[in-house]
Amino acid sequence: MSPVDALMWRGDTDRRLRGTISMLEIYDCVPDWERLLAAHEWGSRMAPRFRQRVVDSPLRTGTPSWAVDPDFDLHYHLRHIRLAGDGSMRELLSACEQLAMTALDPARPPWEGTLIEGLPDGRSAYFLKAHHALTDGLGAILGLAQLHSTSRDPIPGKPQPPSPEPVNISALDVVGRQLGEEVQRLPHRVDTAMRGMRALTRPTKALSDVLRYGRSVPRVAGLVSPPGSPLLAARSISWRFSAFEVPFADLKAAGATARASVNDVYLAGLIGGFRLYHEKLGQPVDAIPVAIPISVRRPEDPAGGNRIAVGRMAGPVGIADPFERVLTIREQVRAARTEPAVDIFNTLGSVLAWLPGQVLAQFSGATTQNDLQASNVPGIPWDTYVAGAKVERMFPFGPLPGCAVMATMITHNGTACLGLNHDAASITEPELFAECLVDGFNEVIALGAEKDSGATESVDPVLMRRVI
């Protein structure tokens, strides 16, 4: 396990910081159960990480090991339930909230999949949850793609890799592996020290680099973020889901108008929603602390594990003009991506991983002070099927590592699907908050509509909608 993955795994010591990521797929019919079982069996051979469990050291320090579970049982990991009520989206999301808040079994591969029947018109849903240490958002999409097909009918001739061999390793084996890795790191650390000493031959530049990096560390660690909103200050261990969708083309059009990325527009829509929510509850603020993941995943990296750094922003909630808000966010994101210390948690991960989970939990202020964490993950841009059922929508839901709101967006076949996980104690008016998010997105999306129409007056199309 990588050091960053180990930090996420140890975060579960504090139940407020459980790192469960989830994906909800909506199908046009009920998939064939036997084919679904077979797809999971095949997918777990194609992506062996889904057959691996975590084996830790006796003292729960250092990086744990991944090992193929000798007791891997698909019957445990894949479940089948039916909604008991009207099958509404609200009932479905409530069921998914309960599934997501239930802790994963640390003695098994950390994932569970649930087929959910009882939706209107013969439709169904599939809910996949996994520990963040298993993979990041992009890795999850790559893994989930193993279950998907380009055809409703079975496709013959797929590669058939053998089942990975079970591995029995002990906690002492993990200690031996950890010590071996530390020995392997010694040449790199000595080289780093030597390069530092050589840098002293140019003391002015060396001092400048050290000061620049030193000033960057507090920003990346969230130590100089704006204060959190008093309106969102409360925290609990209760998760609440909501889902939204918007045509991806409209997000692109708004981005083109402002010469900004889709991600900038996405963040501007979210922060616009926060602005309206604060205003309607009579507690406006100028800025809120926001964290965004910055992917450092390379094409040659394996699908499993996390390849992310952290970017920090002062979300400009006080900016009412959507165009100015997009531009401000664009510049903040650029600055966050170029912070000298942006990769500090990956750099120090091998050292931090030696701290016990109880000690690491004391550093949770780096996430608990965030009012918003937001990520944007590329999706699957074509029609896909699972065991004979067509995938209509894919809604991602991230964990709540102490923050008030976690927003995750994925694009599926031309539709940007937004999954929101909020702390029930932080957002006390969820219906109002959902309405404000829709309005916040639509005022940003209108930028693209204005350009296309050539209108001189404000256009307010209702292009984003809440799925409920």
Side-chain angles (χ1 to χ4, degrees):
M1 184 180 288
S2 76
V4 172
D5 297 342
L7 297 180
M8 292 182 173
W9 182 256
R10 296 265 161 65
D12 281 12
T13 303
D14 185 338
R15 61 180 185 164
R16 298 172 304 161
L17 306 179
R18 282 179 181 161
T20 304
I21 59 175
S22 310
M23 176 71 76
L24 174 64
E25 295 188 333
I26 309 296
Y27 299 154
D28 69 343
C29 64
V30 178
D32 180 87
W33 178 249
E34 293 302 321
R35 285 181 61 186
L36 188 64
L37 279 171
H40 281 78
E41 198 280 332
W42 179 81
S44 67
R45 286 187 283 121
M46 291 293 291
R49 177 57 57 84
F50 285 84
R51 293 195 178 206
Q52 295 176 342
R53 64 189 179 100
V54 177
V55 182
D56 214 338
S57 67
L59 299 178
R60 302 294 189 268
T61 59
T63 56
S65 291
W66 288 105
V68 174
D69 186 1
D71 299 313
F72 177 73
D73 183 6
L74 195 56
H75 176 69
Y76 172 84
H77 291 278
L78 189 59
R79 293 98 186 276
H80 191 175
I81 65 174
R82 174 180 288 273
L83 297 177
D86 60 3
S88 66
M89 191 67 180
R90 181 64 266 162
E91 184 188 9
L92 173 62
L93 290 177
S94 293
C96 292
E97 291 162 1
Q98 294 169 339
L99 291 170
M101 287 188 287
T102 304
L104 291 155
D105 185 350
R108 297 177 182 268
W111 67 273
E112 297 169 7
T114 304
L115 176 64
I116 306 173
E117 292 193 49
L119 274 65
D121 304 319
R123 293 153 67 236
S124 67
Y126 173 80
F127 186 71
L128 176 68
K129 72 171 187 176
H131 198 282
H132 213 323
L134 187 73
T135 185
D136 57 19
L138 181 55
I141 294 301
L142 296 174
L144 192 61
Q146 302 292 344
L147 302 179
H148 290 198
S149 171
T150 56
S151 169
R152 195 182 291 269
D153 300 320
I155 299 178
K158 295 190 298 185
Q160 297 295 332
S163 297
E165 290 295 325
V167 176
N168 283 296
I169 63 174
S170 68
L172 291 179
D173 292 331
V174 175
V175 173
R177 191 265 305 161
Q178 292 173 340
L179 294 176
E181 288 179 347
E182 288 301 310
V183 171
Q184 292 175 0
R185 290 189 180 107
L186 281 176
H188 171 71
R189 289 172 178 169
V190 171
D191 181 64
T192 300
M194 294 299 295
R195 284 190 284 112
M197 294 177 64
R198 287 194 296 270
L200 294 178
T201 60
R202 302 174 61 188
T204 302
K205 184 179 185 305
L207 179 61
S208 175
D209 291 343
V210 169
L211 291 176
R212 184 167 175 263
Y213 193 89
R215 287 191 296 266
S216 176
V217 169
R219 293 194 295 268
V220 172
L223 301 179
V224 293
S225 297
S229 164
L231 189 61
L232 311 174
R235 295 291 188 273
S236 70
I237 57 172
S238 296
W239 295 5
R240 297 294 182 267
F241 289 172
S242 53
F244 307 82
E245 60 183 36
V246 60
F248 185 65
D250 294 321
L251 293 177
K252 290 182 64 177
T257 299
R259 295 185 179 180
S261 70
V262 168
N263 191 62
D264 298 332
V265 173
Y266 161 60
L267 291 171
L270 287 171
I271 292 172
F274 275 79
R275 178 184 70 82
L276 294 171
Y277 183 69
H278 280 76
E279 286 184 354
K280 290 187 178 182
L281 291 181
Q283 297 190 50
V285 294
D286 289 329
I288 59 173
V290 178
I292 57 173
I294 297 173
S295 177
V296 293
R297 183 178 289 277
R298 298 168 298 183
E300 64 270 20
D301 288 332
N306 290 269
R307 303 293 186 272
I308 54 175
V310 179
R312 304 283 181 176
M313 297 170 48
V317 178
I319 299 179
D321 180 75
F323 186 82
E324 182 183 352
R325 193 186 320 132
V326 172
L327 295 184
T328 301
I329 289 171
R330 182 188 68 182
E331 297 310 310
Q332 287 197 23
V333 170
R334 287 178 178 175
R337 291 181 181 277
T338 56
E339 282 282 3
V342 68
D343 206 24
I344 188 171
F345 293 108
N346 289 288
T347 303
L348 297 181
S350 61
V351 176
L352 294 176
W354 284 101
L355 298 176
Q358 294 87 343
V359 176
L360 287 172
Q362 302 307 310
F363 297 100
S364 63
T367 59
T368 55
Q369 69 179 0
N370 294 325
D371 286 339
L372 170 65
Q373 291 186 214
S375 61
N376 175 17
V377 182
I380 302 175
W382 52 76
D383 286 339
T384 56
Y385 302 84
V386 175
K390 183 178 181 180
V391 181
E392 294 183 338
R393 291 290 184 270
M394 303 172 67
F395 294 104
F397 298 96
L400 278 181
C403 59
V405 178
M406 171 69 78
T408 313
M409 186 174 75
I410 187 172
T411 305
H412 173 62
N413 203 12
T415 299
C417 302
L418 171 62
L420 215 73
N421 183 6
H422 74 258
D423 192 311
S426 303
I427 303 297
T428 56
E429 301 288 343
E431 294 300 319
L432 175 63
F433 185 64
E435 293 173 5
C436 291
L437 279 177
V438 170
D439 292 341
F441 265 85
N442 285 335
E443 67 182 13
V444 174
I445 292 169
L447 297 172
E450 291 174 8
K451 179 179 180 181
D452 290 342
S453 65
T456 57
E457 298 182 356
S458 177
V459 180
D460 189 24
V462 183
L463 295 176
M464 185 190 191
R465 74 180 187 95
R466 185 182 183 189
V467 181
I468 189 169

